[in-house]
Amino acid sequence: MRIYFDNASTTPLLPEVVETMHELMEINYGNPSSIHLHGRQARSSIEAARKTIANVINASIGEVFFTSCATETHNFFLTKAVEEMGRKVIIYSAIEHHCIFHTAEHLKEVHGIETIVIPVDHKGHLDYGVLENALKATGTSAVVSIMHGNNEIGVINDLKRISHLCRENGALFHCDTVQTIGKLPIDVQEVDVDCIAGSAHKFFGPKGIGFMYLKNDIKLSPIFHGGSQERNMRSGTENIYGICGMAKALEMAHQEMSERKDKVTKIKQHFINRLQELEDIKINGSEDGLYHILNVSFPAGPKADLIMFNLDIMGISASSGSACSSGIELDSHVLQAIGHPAGRKAVRFSFSHFNTIEEVDHTIEQLKTITPALV
Ligand code: PLP
């Protein structure tokens, strides 16, 4: 039995998505920029996909752009905020993804802008008071980049509250919605946000394709120059298979959202219940976090560092919350931000509607044989 509990990292392709892409590969090979029938067919598939995505997030079709992944959107928007929209301060939370952290640090180095990191508490909840003070001090010179749901510990931020604070103070609001697109409802009319991003491979679509929502009153110069595709924002022949596969995956995620949520929530809860059979287990993050993410902290001990290795040997794919630096295993910046005790081992199990209760039971039995307390 091979078990996949790493769905926050990436997800398998849905058969329906494969079918959509396969059909296009066989029959719809025209260049969308060509004016003949083959080209028009390809163009119409792409525009139908754009409409599907716009509908799901309640945007207008002119606000949706196709990209290669969310990292591209995040880099693009933060860079343009500094280089074209005159923002001199980037405000982000201590638990943002590296594609925000590293982009902000790069912009600081290159343009000498200021960065402000908003702390979180031991469960990962944002300090809204610190954010408010930072916004009052920086106002219209700031761009805020705060994620919707965290990829490691699953904590969910209050987007309406953040948006309100940004608008009150004239800051731009950019939000990393990678872990929540297709899992929680996102309505850009309800939450006033300037830019969000999705990566298809997180919601059972293909890798190498994503989308950017860019609020229609924001006008920026192109990501790439060339043949003027994507309304001159991102030149280059479109990845039609990826685009249509992504739209199919998102449409299904949207239609099946509550059904999938119920199933995954039950799996996660069963995992939590059964973890009580192990000694000295703690759960990182907040009880009301993302339903597909469970971050478990195992006690320190001689076997702690081998948990990931042993899980893999036992046929279970999960994810570690640490990174190797100069040969030493260090907790990730997210775990450090919530004060996860050094020495303990954090493992992220992330679920999908394809997982089963039996897989959880099997994993718990395996964990009983490899966790440190039993040494
Ligand atoms: N943001 C979050 C919260 C993520 O989980 C990820 C991927 O792990 C990314 C951004 C980057 O996504 P991609 O690598 O698809 O660009």
Side-chain angles (χ1 to χ4, degrees):
M1 186 197 260
R2 184 82 218 178
I3 299 174
Y4 188 70
F5 281 157
D6 200 15
N7 291 279
S9 171
T10 197
T11 52
L13 278 173
L14 287 174
E16 293 86 345
V17 172
V18 174
E19 202 182 304
T20 300
M21 293 172 71
H22 190 210
E23 257 178 46
L24 283 166
M25 283 174 189
E26 283 192 337
I27 55 161
N28 209 342
Y29 52 83
N31 187 322
S33 297
S34 302
I35 54 166
H36 50 59
L37 181 69
H38 284 90
R40 291 199 307 277
Q41 280 171 342
R43 166 68 46 219
S44 123
S45 298
I46 288 180
E47 293 317 317
R50 197 186 311 280
K51 193 166 178 201
T52 301
I53 289 168
N55 284 346
V56 167
I57 59 169
N58 202 13
S60 68
I61 46 177
E63 293 173 314
V64 174
F65 299 88
F66 298 119
T67 59
S68 64
C69 61
T71 299
E72 178 182 324
T73 301
H74 298 328
N75 272 258
F76 170 74
F77 188 78
L78 291 180
T79 303
K80 295 291 177 184
V82 171
E83 293 180 355
E84 288 180 18
M85 292 185 273
R87 303 294 157 149
K88 296 188 166 36
V89 186
I90 304 181
I91 300 176
Y92 52 100
S93 84
I95 57 171
E96 293 305 307
H97 190 268
H98 274 149
C99 63
I100 305 298
F101 256 82
H102 293 165
T103 306
E105 281 163 3
H106 170 75
L107 290 166
K108 183 178 186 172
E109 206 175 295
V110 173
H111 295 287
I113 54 139
E114 187 190 344
T115 53
I116 300 177
V117 181
I118 308 297
V120 296
D121 68 13
H122 68 288
K123 294 206 164 196
H125 293 127
L126 190 74
D127 192 326
Y128 291 92
V130 175
L131 174 64
E132 186 168 4
N133 288 340
L135 279 166
K136 279 189 179 140
T138 54
T140 54
S141 63
V143 50
V144 169
S145 184
I146 292 184
M147 66 199 334
H148 192 188
N150 180 267
N151 49 305
E152 283 190 50
I153 53 171
V155 70
I156 300 173
N157 288 315
D158 182 345
L159 297 193
K160 277 195 184 158
R161 189 168 172 190
I162 298 168
S163 166
H164 185 69
L165 287 173
C166 289
R167 295 308 180 226
E168 238 177 19
N169 293 284
L172 290 169
F173 179 28
H174 164 258
C175 183
D176 178 352
T177 48
V178 168
Q179 288 294 337
T180 49
I181 290 276
K183 299 210 173 56
L184 298 180
I186 294 173
D187 182 330
V188 295
Q189 305 305 321
E190 249 180 54
V191 175
D192 188 7
V193 60
D194 295 301
C195 180
I196 67 171
S199 258
H201 70 101
K202 304 284 187 186
F203 49 85
F204 309 92
K207 292 175 181 53
I209 186 74
F211 71 88
M212 162 169 75
Y213 158 80
L214 186 63
K215 198 178 166 72
N216 58 14
D217 56 4
I218 295 185
K219 303 285 174 248
L220 298 171
S221 65
I223 303 175
F224 302 138
H225 303 270
S228 305
Q229 286 89 347
E230 291 298 286
R231 299 182 306 290
N232 201 29
M233 275 292 280
R234 189 176 189 274
S235 289
T237 301
E238 297 89 337
N239 173 1
I240 175 170
Y241 316 119
I243 289 170
C244 296
M246 169 166 67
K248 180 72 185 171
L250 189 58
E251 186 177 43
M252 289 182 66
H254 189 61
Q255 282 163 358
E256 298 172 10
M257 195 178 280
S258 69
E259 206 179 298
R260 289 185 192 178
K261 180 180 175 195
D262 288 351
K263 179 158 188 214
V264 176
T265 303
K266 280 193 188 113
I267 287 168
K268 178 175 165 177
Q269 193 51 53
H270 186 67
F271 204 119
I272 294 172
N273 295 345
R274 289 227 45 201
L275 276 172
Q276 309 313 314
E277 295 167 30
L278 297 163
E279 276 177 49
D280 191 16
I281 296 296
K282 294 192 172 58
I283 294 187
N284 294 316
S286 165
E287 296 74 23
D288 56 358
L290 291 172
Y291 55 85
H292 66 297
I293 292 179
L294 178 62
N295 194 304
V296 183
S297 174
F298 293 95
K303 283 189 181 174
D305 291 338
L306 291 176
I307 290 180
M308 291 310 303
F309 177 76
N310 282 327
L311 278 172
D312 194 23
I313 300 268
M314 289 170 158
I316 300 155
S317 296
S319 181
S320 149
S322 50
C324 200
S325 170
S326 313
I328 301 166
E329 285 267 315
L330 288 178
D331 269 350
S332 69
H333 67 284
V334 174
L335 293 169
Q336 287 181 31
I338 61 169
H340 182 250
R344 288 185 69 94
K345 182 78 189 166
V347 180
R348 180 188 70 185
F349 298 92
S350 50
F351 312 107
S352 84
H353 57 288
F354 290 123
N355 291 127
T356 62
I357 294 289
E358 290 70 36
E359 288 177 332
V360 173
D361 288 335
H362 180 78
T363 303
I364 296 289
E365 293 309 322
Q366 299 301 317
L367 280 172
K368 283 181 182 172
T369 69
I370 59 170
T371 46
L374 292 177
V375 170

PDB file of all heavy atoms in Angstrom, residues 8-9 69-72 74 97 99 147 149-151 176 178-179 199 201-202, ligand 1:
ATOM      1  N   ALA A   8      -0.841  19.146   0.039  1.00  0.00           N
ATOM      2  CA  ALA A   8      -0.593  20.593   0.059  1.00  0.00           C
ATOM      3  C   ALA A   8       0.605  20.920  -0.814  1.00  0.00           C
ATOM      4  O   ALA A   8       0.791  22.062  -1.235  1.00  0.00           O
ATOM      5  CB  ALA A   8      -0.364  21.065   1.492  1.00  0.00           C
ATOM      6  N   SER A   9       1.406  19.912  -1.063  1.00  0.00           N
ATOM      7  CA  SER A   9       2.574  20.108  -1.914  1.00  0.00           C
ATOM      8  C   SER A   9       2.155  20.073  -3.387  1.00  0.00           C
ATOM      9  O   SER A   9       2.464  20.974  -4.159  1.00  0.00           O
ATOM     10  CB  SER A   9       3.581  19.000  -1.596  1.00  0.00           C
ATOM     11  OG  SER A   9       4.614  19.022  -2.497  1.00  0.00           O
ATOM     12  N   CYS A  69       2.659  29.755 -12.978  1.00  0.00           N
ATOM     13  CA  CYS A  69       2.450  29.276 -11.603  1.00  0.00           C
ATOM     14  C   CYS A  69       2.214  30.490 -10.707  1.00  0.00           C
ATOM     15  O   CYS A  69       2.348  31.624 -11.152  1.00  0.00           O
ATOM     16  CB  CYS A  69       3.664  28.498 -11.107  1.00  0.00           C
ATOM     17  SG  CYS A  69       5.164  29.480 -11.051  1.00  0.00           S
ATOM     18  N   ALA A  70       1.917  30.216  -9.444  1.00  0.00           N
ATOM     19  CA  ALA A  70       1.658  31.323  -8.517  1.00  0.00           C
ATOM     20  C   ALA A  70       2.926  32.112  -8.208  1.00  0.00           C
ATOM     21  O   ALA A  70       2.887  33.332  -8.024  1.00  0.00           O
ATOM     22  CB  ALA A  70       1.057  30.785  -7.224  1.00  0.00           C
ATOM     23  N   THR A  71       4.043  31.431  -8.168  1.00  0.00           N
ATOM     24  CA  THR A  71       5.315  32.118  -7.888  1.00  0.00           C
ATOM     25  C   THR A  71       5.517  33.259  -8.885  1.00  0.00           C
ATOM     26  O   THR A  71       5.968  34.347  -8.525  1.00  0.00           O
ATOM     27  CB  THR A  71       6.487  31.107  -7.980  1.00  0.00           C
ATOM     28  OG1 THR A  71       6.271  30.095  -7.001  1.00  0.00           O
ATOM     29  CG2 THR A  71       7.830  31.768  -7.743  1.00  0.00           C
ATOM     30  N   GLU A  72       5.170  33.009 -10.130  1.00  0.00           N
ATOM     31  CA  GLU A  72       5.317  34.044 -11.167  1.00  0.00           C
ATOM     32  C   GLU A  72       4.465  35.266 -10.820  1.00  0.00           C
ATOM     33  O   GLU A  72       4.932  36.411 -10.881  1.00  0.00           O
ATOM     34  CB  GLU A  72       4.909  33.476 -12.535  1.00  0.00           C
ATOM     35  CG  GLU A  72       4.994  34.523 -13.632  1.00  0.00           C
ATOM     36  CD  GLU A  72       4.546  34.013 -15.004  1.00  0.00           C
ATOM     37  OE1 GLU A  72       4.802  32.834 -15.345  1.00  0.00           O
ATOM     38  OE2 GLU A  72       3.925  34.810 -15.732  1.00  0.00           O
ATOM     39  N   HIS A  74       3.283  36.210  -7.900  1.00  0.00           N
ATOM     40  CA  HIS A  74       3.757  36.894  -6.691  1.00  0.00           C
ATOM     41  C   HIS A  74       4.982  37.759  -6.998  1.00  0.00           C
ATOM     42  O   HIS A  74       5.079  38.903  -6.559  1.00  0.00           O
ATOM     43  CB  HIS A  74       4.087  35.880  -5.594  1.00  0.00           C
ATOM     44  CG  HIS A  74       2.895  35.077  -5.142  1.00  0.00           C
ATOM     45  ND1 HIS A  74       1.628  35.590  -5.133  1.00  0.00           N
ATOM     46  CD2 HIS A  74       2.779  33.812  -4.696  1.00  0.00           C
ATOM     47  CE1 HIS A  74       0.783  34.662  -4.685  1.00  0.00           C
ATOM     48  NE2 HIS A  74       1.457  33.574  -4.422  1.00  0.00           N
ATOM     49  N   HIS A  97       4.946  32.238   2.275  1.00  0.00           N
ATOM     50  CA  HIS A  97       5.744  31.291   1.481  1.00  0.00           C
ATOM     51  C   HIS A  97       7.055  31.960   1.056  1.00  0.00           C
ATOM     52  O   HIS A  97       7.120  33.190   0.945  1.00  0.00           O
ATOM     53  CB  HIS A  97       4.925  30.903   0.244  1.00  0.00           C
ATOM     54  CG  HIS A  97       5.484  29.776  -0.541  1.00  0.00           C
ATOM     55  ND1 HIS A  97       6.351  29.961  -1.592  1.00  0.00           N
ATOM     56  CD2 HIS A  97       5.304  28.432  -0.431  1.00  0.00           C
ATOM     57  CE1 HIS A  97       6.673  28.782  -2.108  1.00  0.00           C
ATOM     58  NE2 HIS A  97       6.051  27.836  -1.421  1.00  0.00           N
ATOM     59  N   CYS A  99       8.256  32.349  -1.736  1.00  0.00           N
ATOM     60  CA  CYS A  99       8.190  33.178  -2.945  1.00  0.00           C
ATOM     61  C   CYS A  99       7.788  34.622  -2.602  1.00  0.00           C
ATOM     62  O   CYS A  99       8.008  35.520  -3.423  1.00  0.00           O
ATOM     63  CB  CYS A  99       7.300  32.558  -4.024  1.00  0.00           C
ATOM     64  SG  CYS A  99       5.590  32.381  -3.589  1.00  0.00           S
ATOM     65  N   MET A 147      -1.042  36.019   3.147  1.00  0.00           N
ATOM     66  CA  MET A 147      -1.677  34.854   2.535  1.00  0.00           C
ATOM     67  C   MET A 147      -3.066  34.577   3.115  1.00  0.00           C
ATOM     68  O   MET A 147      -3.392  35.013   4.215  1.00  0.00           O
ATOM     69  CB  MET A 147      -0.779  33.625   2.707  1.00  0.00           C
ATOM     70  CG  MET A 147      -0.620  33.192   4.130  1.00  0.00           C
ATOM     71  SD  MET A 147       0.822  32.100   4.500  1.00  0.00           S
ATOM     72  CE  MET A 147       1.208  31.264   3.037  1.00  0.00           C
ATOM     73  N   GLY A 149      -4.434  31.102   3.346  1.00  0.00           N
ATOM     74  CA  GLY A 149      -4.236  29.950   4.221  1.00  0.00           C
ATOM     75  C   GLY A 149      -2.787  29.508   4.155  1.00  0.00           C
ATOM     76  O   GLY A 149      -2.207  29.472   3.069  1.00  0.00           O
ATOM     77  N   ASN A 150      -2.215  29.177   5.311  1.00  0.00           N
ATOM     78  CA  ASN A 150      -0.792  28.810   5.315  1.00  0.00           C
ATOM     79  C   ASN A 150      -0.564  27.357   4.887  1.00  0.00           C
ATOM     80  O   ASN A 150      -1.289  26.459   5.303  1.00  0.00           O
ATOM     81  CB  ASN A 150      -0.194  29.050   6.708  1.00  0.00           C
ATOM     82  CG  ASN A 150       1.267  28.680   6.751  1.00  0.00           C
ATOM     83  OD1 ASN A 150       1.618  27.558   7.101  1.00  0.00           O
ATOM     84  ND2 ASN A 150       2.126  29.601   6.342  1.00  0.00           N
ATOM     85  N   ASN A 151       0.463  27.161   4.086  1.00  0.00           N
ATOM     86  CA  ASN A 151       0.746  25.842   3.513  1.00  0.00           C
ATOM     87  C   ASN A 151       1.360  24.848   4.488  1.00  0.00           C
ATOM     88  O   ASN A 151       1.285  23.652   4.282  1.00  0.00           O
ATOM     89  CB  ASN A 151       1.673  25.992   2.303  1.00  0.00           C
ATOM     90  CG  ASN A 151       2.873  26.860   2.596  1.00  0.00           C
ATOM     91  OD1 ASN A 151       2.727  28.000   3.034  1.00  0.00           O
ATOM     92  ND2 ASN A 151       4.052  26.339   2.378  1.00  0.00           N
ATOM     93  N   ASP A 176      -1.750  35.733  -1.262  1.00  0.00           N
ATOM     94  CA  ASP A 176      -1.368  34.412  -1.752  1.00  0.00           C
ATOM     95  C   ASP A 176      -2.504  33.435  -1.414  1.00  0.00           C
ATOM     96  O   ASP A 176      -2.672  33.041  -0.261  1.00  0.00           O
ATOM     97  CB  ASP A 176      -0.054  34.008  -1.056  1.00  0.00           C
ATOM     98  CG  ASP A 176       0.416  32.619  -1.450  1.00  0.00           C
ATOM     99  OD1 ASP A 176      -0.336  31.899  -2.142  1.00  0.00           O
ATOM    100  OD2 ASP A 176       1.536  32.257  -1.057  1.00  0.00           O
ATOM    101  N   VAL A 178      -2.902  30.444  -2.856  1.00  0.00           N
ATOM    102  CA  VAL A 178      -2.555  29.152  -3.460  1.00  0.00           C
ATOM    103  C   VAL A 178      -3.186  27.960  -2.738  1.00  0.00           C
ATOM    104  O   VAL A 178      -3.674  27.026  -3.370  1.00  0.00           O
ATOM    105  CB  VAL A 178      -1.011  29.000  -3.517  1.00  0.00           C
ATOM    106  CG1 VAL A 178      -0.603  27.583  -3.865  1.00  0.00           C
ATOM    107  CG2 VAL A 178      -0.450  29.960  -4.541  1.00  0.00           C
ATOM    108  N   GLN A 179      -3.183  27.988  -1.410  1.00  0.00           N
ATOM    109  CA  GLN A 179      -3.704  26.821  -0.677  1.00  0.00           C
ATOM    110  C   GLN A 179      -5.226  26.844  -0.523  1.00  0.00           C
ATOM    111  O   GLN A 179      -5.810  25.863  -0.051  1.00  0.00           O
ATOM    112  CB  GLN A 179      -3.056  26.732   0.718  1.00  0.00           C
ATOM    113  CG  GLN A 179      -1.597  26.305   0.690  1.00  0.00           C
ATOM    114  CD  GLN A 179      -1.394  24.874   0.186  1.00  0.00           C
ATOM    115  OE1 GLN A 179      -2.296  24.033   0.231  1.00  0.00           O
ATOM    116  NE2 GLN A 179      -0.203  24.577  -0.303  1.00  0.00           N
ATOM    117  N   SER A 199      -2.360  28.235  -8.438  1.00  0.00           N
ATOM    118  CA  SER A 199      -1.509  27.269  -9.159  1.00  0.00           C
ATOM    119  C   SER A 199      -2.340  26.003  -9.345  1.00  0.00           C
ATOM    120  O   SER A 199      -2.786  25.397  -8.366  1.00  0.00           O
ATOM    121  CB  SER A 199      -0.265  26.919  -8.325  1.00  0.00           C
ATOM    122  OG  SER A 199       0.860  27.598  -8.796  1.00  0.00           O
ATOM    123  N   HIS A 201      -1.800  22.934 -10.037  1.00  0.00           N
ATOM    124  CA  HIS A 201      -1.417  21.614  -9.498  1.00  0.00           C
ATOM    125  C   HIS A 201      -1.812  21.435  -8.042  1.00  0.00           C
ATOM    126  O   HIS A 201      -1.722  20.342  -7.500  1.00  0.00           O
ATOM    127  CB  HIS A 201       0.091  21.378  -9.690  1.00  0.00           C
ATOM    128  CG  HIS A 201       0.977  22.232  -8.828  1.00  0.00           C
ATOM    129  ND1 HIS A 201       1.556  21.756  -7.684  1.00  0.00           N
ATOM    130  CD2 HIS A 201       1.375  23.522  -8.939  1.00  0.00           C
ATOM    131  CE1 HIS A 201       2.295  22.715  -7.130  1.00  0.00           C
ATOM    132  NE2 HIS A 201       2.195  23.801  -7.881  1.00  0.00           N
ATOM    133  N   LYS A 202      -2.266  22.514  -7.393  1.00  0.00           N
ATOM    134  CA  LYS A 202      -2.723  22.390  -6.008  1.00  0.00           C
ATOM    135  C   LYS A 202      -4.185  21.965  -5.951  1.00  0.00           C
ATOM    136  O   LYS A 202      -4.694  21.606  -4.904  1.00  0.00           O
ATOM    137  CB  LYS A 202      -2.581  23.724  -5.260  1.00  0.00           C
ATOM    138  CG  LYS A 202      -1.189  24.321  -5.259  1.00  0.00           C
ATOM    139  CD  LYS A 202      -0.260  23.630  -4.296  1.00  0.00           C
ATOM    140  CE  LYS A 202       1.065  24.389  -4.237  1.00  0.00           C
ATOM    141  NZ  LYS A 202       2.066  23.707  -3.420  1.00  0.00           N
TER     142      LYS A 202
HETATM  143  N1  PLP B   1       2.264  29.903  -1.916  1.00  0.00           N
HETATM  144  C1  PLP B   1       1.911  28.851  -1.182  1.00  0.00           C
HETATM  145  C2  PLP B   1       1.133  29.058   0.071  1.00  0.00           C
HETATM  146  C3  PLP B   1       2.261  27.555  -1.593  1.00  0.00           C
HETATM  147  O1  PLP B   1       1.895  26.507  -0.861  1.00  0.00           O
HETATM  148  C4  PLP B   1       3.003  27.407  -2.778  1.00  0.00           C
HETATM  149  C5  PLP B   1       3.461  26.078  -3.208  1.00  0.00           C
HETATM  150  O2  PLP B   1       3.821  25.237  -2.411  1.00  0.00           O
HETATM  151  C6  PLP B   1       3.324  28.555  -3.517  1.00  0.00           C
HETATM  152  C7  PLP B   1       2.937  29.785  -3.057  1.00  0.00           C
HETATM  153  C8  PLP B   1       4.070  28.472  -4.801  1.00  0.00           C
HETATM  154  O3  PLP B   1       3.322  27.767  -5.743  1.00  0.00           O
HETATM  155  P1  PLP B   1       3.993  27.360  -7.155  1.00  0.00           P
HETATM  156  O4  PLP B   1       5.258  26.611  -6.804  1.00  0.00           O
HETATM  157  O5  PLP B   1       2.997  26.495  -7.805  1.00  0.00           O
HETATM  158  O6  PLP B   1       4.287  28.611  -7.856  1.00  0.00           O
END
